[in-house]
């Protein structure tokens, strides 16, 4: 066992990369649930974004185009969910689970020809001057663009929900869709837009795995990341900054257990591999118990426009 080979600076920098796909998916799902819709299809949208982003990245030679295509594919898949639950009034839980199974099957079909291929990946932004700052430089200012996009998304979502009229309407729709409808707000339209945003974010999260973290296509490569994103949203009490904390906690534990395995720590590999999931859930449950903010009032409830 040699713990001295674990570099704390690289460890923290790596956790930001490991957390990014879950952070992207979670912040999108947080907006969806704030609008009063429960979409359990995050895993399906992530894996679809992963395979579409990889395929476009390979064929175009541009990872940026891959991310755009992944966002579009995630949003398109989410619109299938939106039509089923908002227009045809199907059960949100069952439809979300069906969406995940559909996404897993679709990704397997699309990805078969791309197994074993390599794809161009995003280059790191070595920000002049800032990246040379001791300790903080390598941790904060030497990442690929999508790490910064995920942080910007957190800030933008927090600001929109807290300080804008659009955010107020979205929260009103999520808290009491009948009252919002009586006030003249277009409940279905607001929820459609929220669901599309959530799908696009999930697609970006999936593409980050296949284009940056593991720049190749492997069937089922999201490996439950969508479910972790769902758990983080709930246990973070639907607050953007807590979503950030939860995602980074999971990313940190994931990277740490990999480093501990490499250092030869005398703990069974199975326990180390399961530790990110167990510790993340336990800590976030503890955090949520202290919070006073519950779920949006209309979360998961069917809205009848005729009312």
């Amino acid at each position: 066992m040699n713990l001295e080979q674990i570099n704390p600076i690289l460890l923290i920098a790596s956790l930001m990369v490991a957390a990014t796909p879950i952070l992207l998916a979670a912040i999108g799902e947080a907006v969806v649930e704030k609008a009063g819709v429960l979409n359990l299809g995050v895993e399906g949208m992530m894996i679809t974004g992963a395979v579409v982003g990889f395929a476009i990245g390979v064929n175009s030679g541009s990872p940026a185009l891959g991310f755009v295509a992944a966002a579009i594919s995630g949003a398109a898949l989410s619109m299938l969910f939106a039509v089923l639950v908002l227009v045809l009034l199907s059960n949100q839980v069952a439809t979300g689970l069906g969406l995940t199974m559909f996404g897993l099957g679709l990704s397997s079909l699309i990805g078969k020809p791309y197994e074993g291929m390599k794809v161009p990946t995003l280059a790191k932004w070595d920000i002049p001057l800032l990246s040379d700052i001791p300790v903080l430089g390598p941790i904060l200012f030497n990442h690929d663009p999508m790490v910064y996009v995920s942080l910007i998304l957190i800030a933008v979502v927090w600001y929109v929900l807290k300080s804008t009229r659009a955010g107020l309407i979205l929260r009103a729709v999520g808290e009491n869709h009948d009252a919002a409808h009586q006030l003249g707000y277009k409940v279905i339209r607001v929820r459609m837009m929220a669901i599309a945003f959530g799908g696009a974010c999930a697609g970006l999260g999936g593409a980050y795995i296949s284009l940056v973290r593991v720049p190749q296509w492997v069937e089922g490569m999201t490996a439950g990341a969508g479910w972790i994103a769902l758990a983080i949203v709930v246990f973070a009490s639907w607050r953007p900054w807590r979503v950030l904390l939860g995602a980074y906690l999971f990313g940190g534990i994931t990277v740490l257990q990999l480093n501990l395995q490499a250092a030869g720590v005398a703990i069974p590999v199975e326990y180390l591999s399961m530790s990110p999931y167990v510790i993340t859930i336990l800590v976030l449950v503890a955090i949520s118990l202290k919070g006073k903010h519950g779920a949006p009032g209309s979360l998961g409830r069917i809205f009848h426009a005729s009312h």
Side-chain angles (χ1 to χ4, degrees):
M1 183 172 69
N2 183 15
L3 295 179
E4 292 180 0
Q5 70 183 36
I6 299 178
N7 186 325
I9 294 176
L10 291 179
L11 185 72
I12 297 172
S14 298
L15 83 81
M16 295 180 68
V17 174
T20 295
I22 293 172
L23 181 57
L24 286 166
I27 193 59
E29 178 61 16
V31 171
V32 175
E33 294 189 17
K34 273 289 190 183
V37 178
L38 179 61
N39 185 357
L40 298 183
V42 177
E43 181 81 4
M45 295 184 293
M46 284 189 77
I47 195 71
T48 301
V51 70
V52 170
F54 186 85
I56 297 299
V58 166
N59 291 314
S60 69
S62 169
L65 281 178
F67 276 105
V68 171
I72 293 172
S73 68
L77 205 56
S78 74
M79 284 296 95
L80 175 61
F81 170 84
V83 170
L84 289 171
V85 301
L86 299 180
V87 179
L88 302 180
L89 304 182
S90 66
N91 181 275
Q92 293 182 15
V93 173
T95 305
L97 293 174
L99 185 66
T100 286
M101 291 187 285
F102 175 74
L104 290 169
L106 181 64
S107 67
S108 178
L109 178 66
I110 296 174
K112 207 66 180 173
Y114 295 95
E115 291 179 350
M117 291 187 179
K118 296 296 182 183
V119 66
T121 189
L122 289 177
K124 289 184 177 181
W125 281 358
D126 189 6
I127 302 175
L129 299 180
L130 293 177
S131 61
D132 296 327
I133 299 173
V135 182
L136 288 179
I139 291 175
L140 298 176
F141 303 112
N142 190 23
H143 291 288
D144 62 85
M146 289 307 297
V147 171
Y148 302 114
V149 168
S150 67
L151 294 173
I152 291 169
L153 267 178
I154 288 286
V156 169
V157 168
W158 170 80
Y159 175 77
V160 169
L161 289 176
K162 182 179 177 62
S163 305
T164 67
R165 176 175 170 78
L168 176 63
I169 293 172
L170 185 140
R171 287 188 288 120
V173 166
E175 286 298 332
N176 191 326
H177 52 215
D178 291 324
H181 178 64
Q182 293 298 326
L183 290 172
Y185 297 132
K186 306 294 184 182
V187 173
I188 292 178
R189 182 185 303 173
V190 170
R191 288 183 169 173
M192 283 267 191
M193 293 171 67
I195 291 170
F197 175 79
C201 288
L204 287 175
Y208 191 84
I209 297 174
S210 63
L211 292 173
V212 180
R213 281 204 70 194
V214 187
Q216 59 182 344
W217 168 250
V218 178
E219 187 175 335
M221 67 188 308
T222 49
W227 299 110
I228 289 293
L230 280 161
I232 285 172
V233 171
V234 176
F235 295 130
S237 303
W238 296 269
R239 291 170 156 183
W241 294 113
R242 282 193 180 182
V243 168
L244 175 67
L245 173 64
Y248 274 28
L249 172 66
F250 180 82
I253 301 297
T254 301
V255 170
L256 179 60
Q257 64 94 5
L258 291 173
N259 278 266
L260 290 175
Q261 287 184 39
V265 173
I267 300 175
V269 172
E270 294 81 7
Y271 292 147
L272 287 173
S273 298
M274 69 186 282
S275 62
Y277 302 93
V278 174
I279 294 174
T280 299
I281 291 173
L282 290 177
V283 173
L284 290 174
V285 165
I287 292 173
S288 67
L289 290 175
K290 294 181 180 180
K292 297 180 181 178
H293 296 274
S298 294
L299 183 61
R301 288 169 48 200
I302 294 176
F303 169 70
H304 298 273
S306 58
H307 293 175

